Amino acid sequence: MPEWHRLHEETRLALRIVAKVLPFRVNSHVTSTLIDWDCGPDDPIFRLVFPATEMLAPSDYGHILKLVEKDAPMAEIQSAAENIRAHLNPHPSGQREKNVPKVGNEHLSGFQHKYRETVLYFPARGQTCHAYCTFCFRWAQFVGDTSLKFASKEAENLRRYLHAHPDVTDVLFTGGDPMIMATHRLAELIDPLLEPELDRVQNIRIGTKSLTFWPQRFVTDPDADDFLRLVERVTRAGRSIAIMVHLNHWREVDNPVAHEAIRRLRDAGAVLRSQGPLLKGINDDPEVWARNWTDQVRLGILPYYMFVERDTGPRHYFEVPLRKGLEIYRDAVSTVSGLARSARGPVMSADPGKLEVLDVEEGRDRTRFLLQFLQARDPSRVRRPFWTQGDRDATWLSQLESCDRSTQPERPFDAELPLRATR
């Protein structure tokens, strides 16, 4: 990497140590086009891909550092890294316990089915990325441990599962990044879904970071045009194909090749929607989000979700309190046009479903958070606001307690706060 000499010694050491535990990968487009090297470690895109010492607990970092300094055998370092990963909640929100579907008594590997209408499929060839985000909630896919990995090599299982579940209308190809795959491999998965007997599958989604980390995938790669033809086949079949763009900062698409990639995708008939988490030190600023959404709308991308950083991996380094997240969202959305206000947030993708934070009320001892489900394992809970309570700096659902009517004590926890019908 030509910029290697510009890295601080501390950053080089963090890269050596943290990357023994959490995945690291970067490419030339990110380093030469997206990162402002004059800003160094404070650059948001730099923080997005280069690990920092604080991403590991001090004791864990120190343990790996000592092993590296004494030139310990690789097996010993790997064992220590595996022990650390086991405490980083590699599969949050019931992904392994509750989301893996069955046909009869057979568990299908490489699938997740959490919401009635949507199936997630993890193609085996798509379980890597052009570059890795430091905050990634699917980091367990990339550390080389097959016991932690979701992946399927059996495309026929997808068709079999869809035939057995007529309620499914959406299939999301995810990873990793499916756009790391050759187009003919993607077509082997997508073309069978266009058959008339599966016409109830109306929406095909592809979750990808390639529009920002390698937009050449849609412009100059050898099979870029082939992918656009695949998009056209989907739309001619009367289906929708949505490119679910992972976008964390407006700088990621502030370059000519990304603009050309967006234009080509839209011309082929794809719908582009953006989503990304709120991240401390990267985009925890309402001005960043306001420009992010405004630029996206101008380019033809529909703002979709502002997520809360999930409870996995180095969450302590990136997480933002729910209270502050709501302030950032409100300040940002209040300054953009109505077209950019389609973004919903802050949203936790938690075990029971996707929960939007609607309001916060601070009391003397506890803080109340008004939440509602945008998606839920139990669809009857969607769009029914309810109150929870917890510490004012709570960052995740597990840190909150219910305080709705069914569990509400005779008097509220803070009598000065108004009682609301939503409770």
Side-chain angles (χ1 to χ4, degrees), residues 112-261:
Q112 287 188 31
H113 193 180
K114 181 175 181 179
Y115 307 124
R116 180 180 56 200
E117 299 84 4
T118 306
V119 165
L120 278 63
Y121 184 74
F122 296 73
R125 290 184 175 89
Q127 298 316 304
T128 185
C129 294
H130 294 96
Y132 293 149
C133 297
T134 43
F135 67 85
C136 181
F137 83 94
R138 290 217 176 110
W139 58 269
Q141 295 287 100
F142 315 128
V143 294
D145 186 342
T146 56
S147 67
L148 296 178
K149 195 171 185 177
F150 282 99
S152 177
K153 297 180 180 179
E154 302 294 336
E156 178 58 30
N157 281 344
L158 176 58
R159 294 178 71 249
R160 190 158 58 99
Y161 188 76
L162 293 175
H163 278 293
H165 291 80
D167 288 336
V168 175
T169 60
D170 292 44
V171 175
L172 169 59
F173 293 99
T174 186
D177 192 333
M179 292 310 305
I180 205 87
M181 300 169 63
T183 296
H184 74 276
R185 296 297 187 187
L186 271 171
E188 291 172 357
L189 299 172
I190 293 175
D191 280 335
L193 306 184
L194 307 182
E195 298 172 1
E197 60 266 29
L198 285 176
D199 61 356
R200 66 180 177 279
V201 178
Q202 288 295 304
N203 305 304
I204 295 169
R205 312 185 202 175
I206 300 176
T208 184
K209 190 73 177 176
S210 57
L211 193 64
T212 68
F213 280 174
W214 191 252
Q216 293 85 346
R217 177 66 183 86
F218 308 103
V219 181
T220 57
D221 273 11
D223 61 347
D225 289 346
D226 294 337
F227 180 74
L228 299 180
R229 302 296 83 77
L230 175 59
V231 170
E232 291 172 351
R233 287 202 300 277
V234 174
T235 58
R236 281 199 305 269
R239 318 296 178 84
S240 169
I241 182 164
I243 307 300
M244 312 303 293
V245 184
H246 294 257
L247 260 173
N248 306 107
H249 197 283
W250 57 266
R251 286 248 310 275
E252 295 180 82
V253 290
D254 189 31
N255 58 86
V257 66
H259 292 177
E260 178 64 7

Side-chain angles (χ1 to χ4, degrees), residues 277-281 283-285 289 306-310 315-330 345-348 357 359-360 362 367 369 371 390-397 399-400:
L278 179 62
L279 303 161
K280 184 172 63 179
N283 59 18
D284 54 336
D285 181 338
W289 282 96
M306 172 202 272
F307 280 121
V308 175
E309 171 65 351
R310 285 199 183 186
R315 60 170 295 191
H316 66 278
Y317 184 66
F318 294 106
E319 65 186 358
V320 175
L322 299 175
R323 168 186 51 81
K324 183 178 178 182
L326 181 60
E327 291 174 2
I328 291 172
Y329 173 80
R330 284 176 169 171
V347 174
M348 292 179 279
V357 182
D359 200 4
V360 175
E362 297 198 43
T367 299
F369 301 82
L371 310 178
D391 186 85
R392 74 185 301 269
D393 289 326
T395 59
W396 195 251
L397 182 65
Q399 300 166 15
L400 305 178

